[in-house]
Every structure is written in structure tokens, then in C-alpha cells.
Amino acid sequence: MQDTKKIAVAIPCYNEALTIAKVVSDFRRVLPNASIYVFDNNSNDGSAMLAKEAGAIVYHVRKQGKGNVMRAIFNTISADAVIVVDGDDTYEADDALILLKPVLNNEADMVVGNRLPNATNDSLRKLHQIGNRLIVASINRMFDTNYHDILSGYRVFSRRFIDSVPLLKPGFETETEITLQALENGLEVIEIPISYRSRPAGSQSKLRSFRDGFRIMLTAFVILRDHNPMRLFGFTSLLCFFTVFIAAFLRVMNYLNITELPSQILTGVMLLFLPVGTIAFGIGIILSSINSRFKEIRYLITRNRQNNNV
């Protein structure tokens, strides 16, 4: 199957001089017929030259951020399966054969390497493990999904995935965006456990736990707003109406001389949250209607494109 389909390996790279040549060589060994690309993101330690010497095709991405690199990968590479793997040598090249199989067999549009079953405190810091699980749990709750490691840097994409999914986020939040955009576009996503090892001595992670964690969650809320507005605004509306109900109940308790809470404050809460809840509910309905129309148009465009290719 691999002999008849075009496979490409894309390696985002920012100051990975210690590891980039080994990563290129490892994937060249495992996938001798694949094209190996390194997308260098303004490295200043000679990473690009080392990648080229190792046999990779090097592209330079001037706008800083992993999301910008991922956009360049999607815009540049045309293949039946595109492997995207970090250049820090924490992922095993041999796992590519396992991750490739569902895409090459048309069983999935994206396969994600799940690091968590085999991650240790040395390979994935405890804080990152906790943060990862909290983020994934929050996103699963928001989108009714059952993902495990949406922040993994080892993935395989089908041609259909790359043609269907727009990428807008510039930084590390791009991995969350990719997964949720796949969900929105009805693409099949599979997670497969992989090996995950520690960075070599002297290699530094570019992830900033709190800053990037905040941006990842903000991205999730933005995607929820854009693609499922009724869930976000409906919950906001429900929360406001519940607050109004509690305030009204306490006013009644005051009227019956059971409590002695400040009536002016309770009235103010009711006057504030009632219109806010009503407006939020209205916004949710309007945006949901607009989204439904866009989904219909996108479906028709996709169906016509498929019919023209037959």
C-alpha cells in the first residue's frame, strides 16, 4: 500500500540543532520512499542547514508560531498521507508505520499518536500531564467527545483532511484547533498509543504551560462559539435565568419575612441578568441558524466537487 501511495513527512522545527538530523535520518530509514520536509521557523542555531545535510527538503516559515508552520505544511505538501512530527526526537519514527495504516486504508482522516499511556514524569513533566488531562477533559465536556491526547505533536493526515480543514491559529493552540475542526467537518479521527521519550540533554521545550494552556482553552471557546453557538450561549442564558430565579426566590422569602436580604440588590440582580440571559439566548438562535445555512452550502459544494471528480 505504501508503494502505491505518496507519503510525506513534515517536521516543524525551531532551534532543534541537537536532534533534527537524527529525526530526519530515522524517518528516512523507516520510510525510504517518503519525501522528508523540514519547516524551519526562524531557527538561529543552524537547524535548517543540519536538516538539509541530513537529506531533508527545507522550507523557511517567517511568521513565528507552530500554527503558522502547520498552515505552511497544509499549503505546501500534496500527498495521500502527511506525517507531521515534532523535531525534538521525543517520538519514535517506527511508530509511523502504525499511525499510517488507518489513513492509507481509508479508515481515518487523521490519526493522533496518544503519548499518555507510555509517558513518564521524565518524558512528560507532571505539570504538563495534569494540564493536558484538564484541557482534554474540559474540551470533551464542551464538545461531547472522548479524546485523550489532543495536544500530541505526532499525527498523520489524509489528503481529504488537508483539503477540508482551515487553520487560523498561530501558536501551539493549533493542535486543539486541528482536532476540533476535524470534529466540525465530520472527519474521522483515531488515537493510537505510541512511545514517548525524554528530550536529549540540552534540548528545551518551547511550550509555556500557563500561557499556552490559556490560549488553548481560549481557542476551544472560540471554536465552540463559531461552530456550536447554541451550546455556549444557551448555557450562558440558562445560567442567567437560574440566577434570576434564585434572586426572585429570595425576594419572596423576604416578602414572607423568612429572610432579611437587601431587596435592592436582589432586584438589581434580576434586572441585570434577565435581559442578559434573553439576549444570549437570542444570539445563540441567530448564530445557530447562520451556521446551519453555511453547513448546507459547504455540504453542497463538497458533494458537487466529489461528483465532478467521478
Side-chain angles (χ1 to χ4, degrees):
M1 182 69 72
Q2 295 180 26
D3 294 334
T4 60
K5 291 195 174 184
K6 184 178 179 182
I7 299 172
V9 180
I11 308 171
C13 176
Y14 174 60
N15 287 342
E16 301 290 2
L18 289 175
T19 57
I20 190 63
K22 180 179 183 300
V23 173
V24 172
S25 299
D26 286 350
F27 277 91
R28 178 72 65 197
R29 169 181 56 82
V30 174
L31 299 168
N33 297 323
S35 301
I36 312 292
Y37 302 87
V38 169
F39 286 77
D40 185 71
N41 197 200
N42 301 313
S43 296
N44 54 24
D45 63 350
S47 295
M49 182 60 66
L50 292 170
K52 188 174 182 180
E53 292 174 353
I57 302 168
V58 177
Y59 283 91
H60 296 278
V61 182
R62 301 302 179 191
K63 290 185 176 181
Q64 199 68 36
K66 189 171 183 180
N68 293 319
V69 175
M70 290 300 300
R71 193 179 305 118
I73 291 171
F74 277 33
N75 291 341
T76 303
I77 297 178
S78 177
D80 296 297
V82 178
I83 302 168
V84 177
V85 60
D86 290 342
D88 56 9
D89 196 34
T90 55
Y91 298 99
E92 296 277 0
D94 294 296
D95 286 334
L97 300 176
I98 302 172
L99 300 179
L100 271 169
K101 189 175 179 181
V103 170
L104 295 179
N105 291 338
N106 296 318
E107 297 170 355
D109 296 292
M110 178 174 69
V111 180
V112 181
N114 180 6
R115 305 164 295 170
L116 299 184
N118 299 313
T120 65
N121 291 340
D122 291 330
S123 60
L124 191 63
R125 287 187 300 169
K126 194 68 177 178
L127 180 61
H128 285 179
Q129 291 187 48
I130 295 172
N132 193 320
R133 294 182 191 278
L134 287 175
I135 289 171
V136 172
S138 300
I139 289 174
N140 283 339
R141 176 72 65 177
M142 290 164 59
F143 292 90
D144 284 335
T145 53
N146 190 31
Y147 295 126
H148 297 90
D149 187 16
I150 65 172
L151 305 181
S152 173
Y154 200 0
R155 301 166 186 254
V156 180
F157 301 96
S158 69
R159 187 188 298 271
R160 184 165 80 117
F161 188 102
I162 291 177
D163 290 341
S164 302
V165 172
L167 299 180
L168 303 176
K169 302 302 177 184
F172 278 105
E173 64 271 29
T174 186
E175 283 149 353
T176 302
E177 179 187 30
I178 286 171
T179 304
L180 297 181
Q181 288 281 16
L183 176 67
E184 172 61 20
N185 285 275
L187 302 174
E188 187 68 28
V189 179
I190 295 177
E191 292 180 290
I192 296 178
I194 58 170
S195 302
Y196 191 69
R197 58 195 176 206
S198 302
R199 281 174 168 267
S203 178
Q204 298 293 326
S205 173
K206 283 59 175 192
L207 181 68
R208 299 294 177 263
S209 301
F210 295 103
R211 183 197 66 180
D212 292 320
F214 172 77
R215 292 171 64 178
I216 288 166
M217 287 306 302
L218 182 60
T219 296
F221 275 105
V222 169
I223 292 175
L224 182 64
R225 179 203 67 191
D226 291 345
H227 297 293
N228 198 344
M230 197 59 213
R231 174 167 293 182
L232 178 61
F233 289 101
F235 176 78
T236 302
S237 176
L238 184 63
L239 190 61
C240 290
F241 289 148
F242 180 74
T243 302
V244 171
F245 172 80
I246 294 297
F249 177 77
L250 293 176
R251 286 271 343 239
V252 172
M253 298 290 282
N254 278 356
Y255 179 76
L256 298 176
N257 295 321
I258 299 175
T259 61
E260 295 182 359
L261 297 172
S263 297
Q264 295 87 347
I265 294 178
L266 295 176
T267 301
V269 168
M270 294 169 60
L271 293 176
L272 174 63
F273 282 91
L274 183 59
V276 170
T278 304
I279 292 171
F281 185 75
I283 291 174
I285 291 176
I286 294 171
L287 292 180
S288 294
S289 299
I290 294 173
N291 269 3
S292 296
R293 287 301 178 188
F294 274 115
K295 287 179 180 178
E296 291 172 0
I297 294 171
R298 184 174 59 200
Y299 172 76
L300 292 174
I301 292 173
T302 302
R303 187 174 65 183
N304 290 335
R305 185 186 299 126
Q306 291 173 346
N307 291 337
N308 291 334
N309 291 333
V310 174

